[in-house]
Amino acid sequence: MRRLLIANRGEIAVRIARAAMDLGIDTVAVYSEDDANGLHLRIADEAVPLRGRGVPAYLHIEDVVARAVEANCDALHPGYGFLAENADFAAACVKADITFVGPRPEVLELFGDKGRARAAASAAEVPVLRGTDHATTLEETREFFAALGDGGAMIIKALAGGGGRGARIVTAADHVEQAYERCRSEAERAFGNGGLYVEEMVPRARHIEVQLLGDEAGGLIDFGERECSAQRRHQKV
């Protein structure tokens, strides 16, 4: 890996650029028309513009990959959010002979869809909270909430979600529709996919992650447990 395109913006792009710098890897930042003054552009070795403004610019697979090819990048880091869990994006990088820093397309196709990931966990006899494993309609969402009974609460989440985007807690039946529509709209803007699913909410639970990192040769590193209970807007602090 000699030259890395960072397909993201803001703080996460800065962190990636600094890590690459420590490893002696040249970096290329991308930016939408309204992000021309972003800090990440000054940290990276080079910056190239994307077409369009705002989030949609970072969701255009063909344009992002084309910028990587034109900048002679041999690798691409998606950061989180945006296209980070999009299997088509990873496949487009592979087709362009660019190393996608992340899971293979077939892995993202499964785990990038949270509903399918839930179904796979259930099939492997991994315990999961009550919830749905498909793009869930508003009516199905209402029915699920009603089935939780008195005092029940649920979280509406984006199927293609990450970073706390497209998630809302619902504790009252008359809040379901508004929360659903807000989640759908936010997920569409953030990920280009407005599909949602629902899960039962467990109050005062601990959020513990077990992190693993694997490479192409089959090597696997266990980073152990990570305490993620302290959150702001459904994002780890």
Side-chain angles (χ1 to χ4, degrees):
M1 190 183 299
R2 299 175 295 100
R3 192 166 167 82
L4 175 74
L5 185 128
I6 305 170
N8 217 296
R9 66 180 181 183
E11 179 263 348
I12 183 59
V14 170
R15 287 169 55 191
I16 294 167
R18 286 175 172 164
M21 185 187 307
D22 290 343
L23 294 170
I25 300 170
D26 291 340
T27 55
V28 177
V30 293
Y31 60 96
S32 62
E33 294 171 2
D34 51 338
D35 277 342
N37 295 317
L39 175 61
H40 67 293
L41 309 185
R42 298 195 292 273
I43 302 296
D45 296 295
E46 184 181 335
V48 296
L50 297 171
R51 294 196 302 268
R53 299 175 61 83
V55 172
Y58 297 91
L59 295 176
H60 197 292
I61 292 175
E62 292 79 7
D63 192 30
V64 174
V65 174
R67 298 292 83 75
V69 172
E70 292 168 4
N72 296 314
C73 293
D74 58 350
L76 182 151
H77 196 310
Y80 67 78
F82 291 142
L83 295 168
E85 299 183 39
N86 188 303
D88 291 337
F89 185 43
C93 290
V94 173
K95 185 176 180 180
D97 198 26
I98 293 173
T99 298
F100 180 80
V101 183
R104 295 189 304 274
E106 60 269 26
V107 176
L108 282 177
E109 189 173 357
L110 172 60
F111 290 103
D113 182 322
K114 303 305 185 296
R116 290 188 61 193
R118 276 180 51 89
S122 296
E125 299 184 353
V126 175
V128 297
L129 293 170
R130 284 191 289 176
T132 58
D133 57 10
H134 58 275
T136 305
T137 65
L138 174 58
E139 186 55 37
E140 288 175 321
T141 301
R142 286 197 181 102
E143 292 174 357
F144 178 81
F145 183 79
L148 295 176
D150 292 342
M154 70 177 175
I155 304 181
I156 303 175
K157 298 181 179 180
L159 279 173
R165 305 284 181 83
R168 291 286 189 285
I169 296 171
V170 179
T171 57
D174 56 354
H175 295 168
V176 171
E177 183 172 358
Q178 182 183 50
Y180 183 95
E181 291 302 327
R182 286 186 175 179
C183 287
R184 184 195 58 74
S185 176
E186 186 174 314
E188 184 67 43
R189 290 195 309 271
F191 312 112
N193 180 349
L196 305 172
Y197 73 107
V198 295
E199 281 187 341
E200 180 181 9
M201 178 188 170
V202 178
R204 300 183 64 80
R206 307 296 294 184
H207 182 140
I208 307 297
E209 292 184 355
V210 177
Q211 296 187 318
L212 303 171
L213 178 65
D215 62 23
E216 292 181 335
L220 190 65
I221 299 173
D222 178 4
F223 288 101
E225 295 179 351
R226 180 185 181 195
E227 168 60 83
C228 301
S229 298
Q231 298 190 7
R232 180 174 182 267
R233 297 179 180 176
H234 309 300
Q235 296 186 38
K236 306 170 192 68
V237 175

